[in-house]
């Protein structure tokens, strides 16, 4: 996505190690922790939002996906702008924007307002994640870079299960908008730490941002997501949905063709020529799509079907964190003994096993069964995402860190958006098709079809045990189908990685794997 005709200057050599680099890494971890929290804290509030803002399943998907779509689309321009004008400066700007959007979100009074707020937060997040990751190669020498990347990756991953706990605690005592207030102290401390500890870095030789390519990427991803979300209500064969899906293919195809014709593109697909970067990125993308789909349905199941409150839901997601910590510890020995390929493919098989176990959930099963497969899911996530993201980032040269991390995060967040849209559409289609609203007045039947949380609220209002039972059964059938699809996807992904990803290439590659695993394990131990 570049409009520059000037050839880039020769890459600068990697800078010397920064004396306070580990303290600086702590500041960067605070910045990305905001992203980790925000990825899951909202999921706990979805049932409350559905009832209090009268949001249907499609609107709930947009509340999640507005963030992901903007995040993914703006990631590559953000990486380039940071490389050119200063990574720390743009990172602080992203945190400030994220803070402002969070404050507005606390008082959102309609689904449309909240969707707009989430889009603003996505723009801020697009500045935070790739720039925080791209600063690491400029802080650490090559022999420490793997461990540093692993610390950041694990820190972000551990933020995922912590978000619902803190969000649930807030929801039990305050209104749903209070979930965004957790961002305020984190961002304030993060900005101060960045100013005091992180030196500025840039690479003015990177390509310029091409507005046409940025527009093609944003519009294409938005059209694809819109088509998936609206299809259950409008029908897959409706002119609007077909038009949106065709438009998305044309727009994204045009983006790829334009970038391939540029001498110095912003969407630098040549980075994927490195087999380690390519297959590590693919593993990260696939597991992200599966995880985001599972986390979209799980809080609704725990709250609306099993009847737990927001805090109880957050606490019951803790086995996921336990699995992450154990997996990070195990990876030290596993990566040292075998290549990262087998660790990552084994992690994906564990993710698949968790999804298959979850797909067996019955109407009489309590939380115990969910705790089992959540623990397995955490193990699989830890063995997949931590070494995969670490290997991908350490494969990048320091002067391409902004563009490379932007590409990685763009693909990852795009996968998350598509995963929520597609799996959410599958859930919505099954739920509405199996829900029995016979005997209900038209407006109440329409409300009940919006989401399982709305149906439960209508059932409570009418004291209708039949409606509640029908809603629970319909949602459970949709959820188990979604988890089954996720499991099949994870199995295919594991086979793909095992067959195509290169193994350790000599002593250097094996040592890099040990550095990644050691960093993950040390960070997990400190958290535990």
């Amino acid at each position: 996505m570049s409009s520059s005709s000037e050839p880039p200057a020769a890459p600068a050599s990697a800078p010397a190690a920064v004396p306070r680099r580990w303290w600086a890494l702590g500041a960067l971890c605070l910045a990305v922790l905001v992203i980790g929290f925000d990825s899951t804290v909202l999921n706990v509030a979805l049932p409350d939002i559905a009832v209090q803002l009268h949001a249907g399943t499609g609107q709930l998907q947009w509340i999640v996906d507005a963030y992901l779509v903007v995040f993914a689309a703006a990631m590559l321009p953000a990486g380039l702008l940071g490389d050119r004008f200063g990574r720390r400066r743009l990172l602080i700007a992203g945190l400030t924007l994220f803070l402002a959007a969070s404050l507005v979100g606390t008082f959102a009074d309609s689904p449309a307002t909240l969707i707009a707020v989430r889009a603003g937060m996505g723009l801020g997040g697009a500045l935070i994640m790739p720039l925080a990751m791209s600063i690491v190669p400029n802080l650490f020498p090559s022999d420490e870079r793997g461990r540093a990347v692993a610390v950041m990756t694990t820190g972000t991953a551990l933020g995922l299960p912590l978000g619902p706990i803190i969000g649930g605690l807030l929801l039990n005592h305050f209104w749903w908008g209070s979930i965004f207030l957790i961002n305020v102290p984190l961002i304030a401390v993060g900005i101060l730490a960045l100013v005091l500890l992180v030196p500025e870095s840039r690479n003015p030789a990177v390509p310029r941002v091409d507005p046409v390519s940025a527009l093609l990427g944003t519009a294409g991803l938005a059209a694809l997501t819109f088509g998936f979300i609206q299809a259950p209500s409008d029908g897959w064969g409706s002119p609007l949905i077909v038009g949106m899906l065709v438009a998305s293919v044309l727009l994204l195809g045009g983006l790829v063709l334009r970038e391939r014709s540029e001498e110095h593109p912003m969407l630098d697909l040549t980075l994927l020529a490195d087999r380690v970067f390519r297959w590590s990125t693919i593993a990260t993308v696939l597991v992200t799509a599966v995880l985001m789909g599972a986390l979209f349905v799980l809080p609704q199941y725990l709250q609306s079907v099993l009847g737990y409150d927001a805090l109880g839901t957050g606490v019951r997601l803790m086995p996921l964190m336990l699995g992450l910590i154990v997996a990070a510890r195990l990876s030290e020995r596993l990566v040292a003994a075998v290549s990262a390929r087998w660790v990552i493919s084994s992690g994906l098989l564990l993710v698949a096993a968790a999804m298959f176990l979850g797909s067996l959930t019955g109407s009489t099963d309590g939380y115990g069964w969910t705790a089992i497969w959540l623990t397995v899911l955490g193990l699989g996530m830890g063995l997949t995402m931590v070494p995969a993201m670490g290997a991908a980032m350490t494969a990048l040269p320091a002067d391409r860190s902004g563009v490379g991390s932007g590409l990685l995060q763009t693909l990852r967040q795009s996968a998350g958006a598509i995963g929520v849209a597609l799996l959410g559409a599958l859930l919505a289609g099954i739920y509405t098709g199996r829900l029995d609203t016979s005997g209900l007045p038209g407006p109440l039947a329409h409300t009940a079809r919006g989401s399982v949380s709305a149906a439960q609220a209508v059932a409570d209002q009418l004291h209708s045990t039949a409606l509640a039972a029908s809603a629970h059964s319909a949602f459970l059938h949709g959820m188990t189908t979604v988890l089954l699809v996720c499991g099949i996807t994870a199995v295919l992904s594991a086979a793909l990685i095992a067959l195509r990803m290169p193994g350790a290439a000599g002593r250097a590659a094996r040592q890099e794997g040990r550095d990644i695993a050691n960093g993950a394990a040390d960070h997990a131990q400190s958290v535990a």
Side-chain angles (χ1 to χ4, degrees), residues 194-211:
L194 287 171
V195 171
L196 296 178
L197 297 170
V198 177
E200 186 60 277
S201 62
R202 58 173 57 86
N203 178 21
V206 298
R208 298 181 185 277
V209 174
D210 179 10

Side-chain angles (χ1 to χ4, degrees), residues 331-340 342-343 510 514:
S331 64
E332 176 181 4
R333 297 176 182 174
L334 293 175
V335 175
V338 298
S339 67
W342 297 114
V343 176
R510 187 173 294 274
R514 291 193 185 100

